[in-house]
Amino acid sequence: MVNSQKKYYPTAFALYFAYFILGIALSIMGQFKPEFAQAWGATRLPSGAIDESMVVSVIAAYGLGRLIAYPFAGPVSDKIGRRVSGFIGIALYAIFFFGIINVHSMWIAYGMGVLNGVANSFLDTCISPSVMEIFPKSASIANLFTKFAITIAQFLLPFAIGLVASAHMSYKVIFIFCGVVMVIDAILILILPFPQQNVVNVQDDTKKAKQSKIHFSGAAIASILIGFTSSTTFMIWLNCNQELGKSYGISDPSVLQSFYAVGATIAVLLTAQLIHKGIKETTILILYPSISVVMLLLCYLIESPFILYVGSFVIGYAAAGGVLQLATSTTISFFPSNKGLATSLVMIASAIANYAVLSTAAYLTKVTGTDAPRMIIILNVIITIIGIGLAIIVKRHKSEPAVVASPEN
């Protein structure tokens, strides 16, 4: 079985590499807000600073694109094939990278932001199920490593930005590079082999038919909704920490990105070990958001650069270190014969978070100015606490089978 799976390892590499570039797409626009705002004709605020709220709105459009596409992306992955879903996602990302640097209208840019989200949705519904099918004995860990690919990219991005700047090249070079490699990856996805999908280990046809039915229990719904709360925690921090850093006196807040990425990378590696040693995914879904809440509150109460360096690392670890991926794996366990659909459901919740919460952040940025970053922290705390409650519901359900199976019950 192991040898037969080895032929899919190049496919897994190509899929993880697509997520590596996705990691750049998730955060690169946040690193060039002034440049994009000027390109799209932004006005200046009374303080004299350029109004970057339209860039935050375009970043939020990513969530809208995901929301639009996931209802279609899941069925495409399950019914037509992982390869098709993956190719669509990678090809659309190539279009995004080439397109976003060549538009001069906020509304066209908004459309490119939507395209970014559509591309992400097709990648998610291909890659998470595919790597879990390539590595069936370590499915949760395989899915967790999609986050590892993203965090490595986000760690390297500030260095790439610095290298481009020191060479006096345009920031557009990074976008062009990403577009080119995505074209190459799309070709690889077309020619590399994919494993048989939606394989369920069952003892008889009756059990298989039962598992194929889609049943939305309270715990399954709670698991899906963790996609919303977990995404809120890291997406807000990822896209708004620059402004928070400036308000706390950090001269180069882009450095926070590296601390965040290091924390997320360490989390993926350590969490994989914890799961391998028997720690339940549901335990991590409670523990990590709890750590995030404490850290967010400290960042709100202590207005110093030092706390943001620590906070970026801890938020990277506890919020961006695989909670969303573990929520996806947990949700898939509720729908084992519909992995693409289960992935879509979690990611729809995540997309709603990206769009609704980042749109709220853009509004707060526009109307409250310098007070917005700390107000956004409180919003983040409230939503993360809700996520902890949802994870407790899922954990209780996962602990129930032995009791339910008892004849006395």
Side-chain angles (χ1 to χ4, degrees):
M1 176 67 176
V2 174
N3 290 332
S4 66
Q5 293 299 104
K6 283 185 177 180
K7 66 181 180 180
Y8 302 122
Y9 288 1
T11 307
F13 176 82
L15 293 173
Y16 283 126
F17 182 78
Y19 254 38
F20 175 89
I21 301 299
L22 183 152
I24 294 175
L26 287 177
S27 58
I28 191 168
M29 290 186 66
Q31 307 301 314
F32 294 108
K33 289 193 185 84
E35 289 83 356
F36 281 116
Q38 288 180 344
W40 302 338
T43 59
R44 292 197 174 271
L45 299 170
S47 63
I50 192 165
D51 183 4
E52 299 176 0
S53 63
M54 64 168 59
V55 184
V56 180
S57 295
V58 170
I59 294 172
Y62 156 81
L64 179 60
R66 295 173 74 202
L67 185 58
I68 292 170
Y70 276 124
F72 306 99
V76 166
S77 178
D78 281 336
K79 305 300 182 183
I80 301 178
R82 312 287 189 226
R83 185 193 307 278
V84 174
S85 180
F87 176 78
I88 291 172
I90 294 171
L92 290 179
Y93 259 123
I95 294 172
F96 164 77
F97 280 115
F98 290 131
I100 194 67
I101 57 174
N102 289 299
V103 301
H104 300 285
S105 163
M106 186 268 182
W107 293 111
I108 298 176
Y110 195 87
M112 297 304 299
V114 172
L115 185 69
N116 182 0
V118 173
N120 193 166
S121 67
F122 279 96
L123 274 193
D124 283 340
T125 55
C126 163
I127 295 177
S128 288
S130 293
V131 297
M132 293 175 75
E133 289 158 354
I134 293 172
F135 306 102
K137 293 184 178 179
S138 304
S140 289
I141 294 175
N143 194 32
L144 191 61
F145 269 81
T146 62
K147 186 63 182 183
F148 181 76
I150 291 173
T151 58
I152 290 295
Q154 292 174 340
F155 172 73
L156 294 176
L157 180 58
F159 297 100
I161 292 172
L163 182 64
V164 168
S166 64
H168 304 290
M169 293 187 290
S170 169
Y171 69 94
K172 295 181 180 181
V173 169
I174 300 174
F175 288 82
I176 294 171
F177 172 80
C178 290
V180 169
V181 297
M182 278 307 225
V183 170
I184 296 171
D185 205 44
I187 296 171
L188 292 175
I189 292 300
L190 284 178
I191 62 178
L192 291 172
F194 275 73
Q196 183 180 354
Q197 64 188 63
N198 288 332
V199 176
V200 182
N201 295 319
V202 294
Q203 298 300 318
D204 53 68
D205 292 338
T206 301
K207 186 175 180 181
K208 184 174 182 179
K210 183 178 179 181
Q211 287 196 326
S212 296
K213 293 180 180 178
I214 300 174
H215 173 63
F216 290 94
S217 64
I221 293 172
S223 183
I224 292 167
L225 291 177
I226 293 173
F228 179 98
T229 58
S230 61
S231 296
T232 294
T233 309
F234 70 81
M235 285 301 294
I236 283 183
W237 187 269
L238 185 62
N239 289 287
C240 300
N241 64 23
Q242 301 285 301
E243 290 72 26
L244 187 64
K246 290 177 183 177
S247 69
Y248 280 19
I250 296 178
S251 58
D252 182 15
S254 66
V255 176
L256 296 175
Q257 172 80 11
S258 295
F259 282 85
Y260 169 93
V262 169
T265 303
I266 292 174
V268 172
L269 298 175
L270 183 57
T271 304
Q273 286 297 314
L274 292 174
I275 293 174
H276 182 70
K277 292 182 180 297
I279 301 296
K280 299 296 183 183
E281 289 89 341
T282 50
T283 299
I284 294 172
L285 290 177
I286 296 171
L287 176 61
Y288 283 11
S290 299
I291 294 172
S292 295
V293 167
V294 173
M295 194 68 248
L296 286 168
L297 289 173
L298 288 175
C299 288
Y300 179 83
L301 295 171
I302 304 173
E303 300 184 46
S304 75
F306 174 76
I307 198 66
L308 290 189
Y309 292 121
V310 175
S312 291
F313 176 85
V314 173
I315 295 298
Y317 182 97
V323 175
L324 178 60
Q325 286 68 32
L326 291 180
T328 303
S329 300
T330 302
T331 302
I332 285 175
S333 72
F334 287 104
F335 311 102
S337 294
N338 298 277
K339 295 184 180 71
L341 173 63
T343 303
S344 283
L345 293 172
V346 176
M347 295 306 175
I348 285 172
S350 173
I352 293 172
N354 294 156
Y355 183 68
V357 179
L358 286 178
S359 294
T360 301
Y363 175 77
L364 290 173
T365 300
K366 190 174 185 66
V367 300
T368 63
T370 56
D371 292 331
R374 298 183 76 242
M375 292 178 64
I376 292 171
I377 289 179
I378 294 301
L379 174 65
N380 209 352
V381 168
I382 294 170
I383 295 175
T384 306
I385 290 174
I386 293 172
I388 296 170
L390 294 170
I392 291 172
I393 293 172
V394 176
K395 184 173 181 61
R396 286 178 177 174
H397 173 85
K398 290 291 185 180
S399 303
E400 284 177 2
V403 177
V404 173
S406 174
E408 289 79 9
N409 292 295

